[in-house]
Amino acid sequence: MTISHSLIIPVYRNESFLPRVLEAVRGIAADNAGTLEVVFVIDGSPDNSYALLKTRLPTMPFPSQLICLSRNFGSFAAIRCGLEAARGQHIAFLAADLQQPVSSIEEFFRALNQGADIAIGQRSERADPLLSRLASAVFWAGYRRFVQHDVPPGGIDAFACTRQVRDVLVGLPEANSTLVGLLLWVGFRREVITYRSEEHTSELQSRETI
């Protein structure tokens, strides 16, 4: 089997979502005609996520990797670990809490197939509590003003990239930077995928090139 697409899923306290995640990934794998692998990275999760995946993954109709980090290093480190292990030419990220719509993965891969090097996922609407939405808005406004001026309004929630971009990202020596900062710093052609998220059910809406 030729692996052309990889899907990275960091896991931290997501045990209750994993059965739904596996079913969602089954659908993505079917749409990609057996060319998709899934890389689960357990980021020191204290629940039974690792045991559940260790039992269930061998029964799934898609190739997978299960990586267990020694402790909770944070999402950036977990995604970087997944990037290092990924074998596909196109690599995408999926949030294990399913706030990100599964349909966005196909949009990510489509954007890369059409010539984008990086596909950026951005929520146009958030179902978070009011204080969380305000905190997020303040953070990203400050990030755009003082750190990265070309961050899309509302920030970045997910991404996909080509293997060329992946090679550049994993080759960078920065250990304490942010993935958002590095994605924008390395350049390449980017496309924004905008979607709506509402209580773990989401609908893809539109996209634009930046």
Side-chain angles (χ1 to χ4, degrees):
M1 177 184 295
T2 301
I3 302 298
S4 59
H5 298 79
S6 296
L7 182 60
I8 300 170
I9 306 179
V11 177
Y12 182 74
R13 295 184 182 273
N14 300 121
E15 179 183 359
S16 63
F17 290 98
L18 291 179
R20 293 175 57 193
V21 169
L22 289 172
E23 288 307 307
V25 172
R26 186 196 296 266
I28 298 172
D31 291 340
N32 284 276
T35 64
L36 175 81
E37 71 161 356
V38 185
V39 182
F40 285 93
V41 182
I42 309 296
D43 188 21
S45 185
D47 57 14
N48 293 316
S49 293
Y50 176 77
L52 187 154
L53 289 171
K54 186 177 182 180
T55 300
R56 293 285 303 275
L57 284 178
T59 71
M60 293 290 105
F62 51 80
S64 62
Q65 299 185 54
L66 180 57
I67 300 169
C68 188
L69 302 184
S70 61
R71 64 172 177 84
N72 177 234
F73 287 92
S75 60
F76 175 45
I79 294 171
R80 183 188 180 103
C81 184
L83 287 171
E84 292 174 345
R87 295 175 290 172
Q89 296 302 308
H90 291 167
I91 305 165
F93 159 88
L94 179 67
D97 62 4
L98 294 180
Q99 284 281 344
Q100 174 191 352
V102 175
S103 58
S104 68
I105 300 303
E106 290 300 332
E107 289 296 309
F108 285 165
F109 288 149
R110 186 174 298 112
L112 298 180
N113 284 330
Q114 292 175 352
D117 300 300
I118 300 172
I120 292 172
Q122 180 189 46
R123 280 187 282 182
S124 61
E125 297 180 15
R126 297 176 180 267
D128 302 332
L130 177 60
L131 288 179
S132 295
R133 296 200 303 271
L134 289 174
S136 178
V138 170
F139 171 81
W140 285 115
Y143 199 96
R144 276 170 55 84
R145 181 173 182 180
F146 299 110
V147 183
Q148 288 277 2
H149 301 303
D150 54 348
V151 171
I156 296 173
D157 293 290
F159 79 99
C161 66
T162 63
R163 190 160 193 87
Q164 181 184 12
V165 175
R166 170 263 190 198
D167 290 344
V168 172
L169 287 174
V170 300
L172 294 173
E174 288 84 352
N176 300 310
S177 182
T178 67
L179 183 58
V180 169
L182 294 180
L183 273 174
L184 298 176
W185 181 80
V186 296
F188 295 97
R189 182 178 184 273
R190 300 190 294 268
E191 185 167 330
V192 174
I193 309 294
T194 305
Y195 55 79
R196 184 175 61 216
S197 174
E198 295 181 2
E199 298 181 354
H200 308 293
T201 58
S202 309
E203 179 182 351
L204 192 69
Q205 294 214 301
S206 63
R207 73 183 185 207
E208 60 179 317
T209 300
I210 58 174

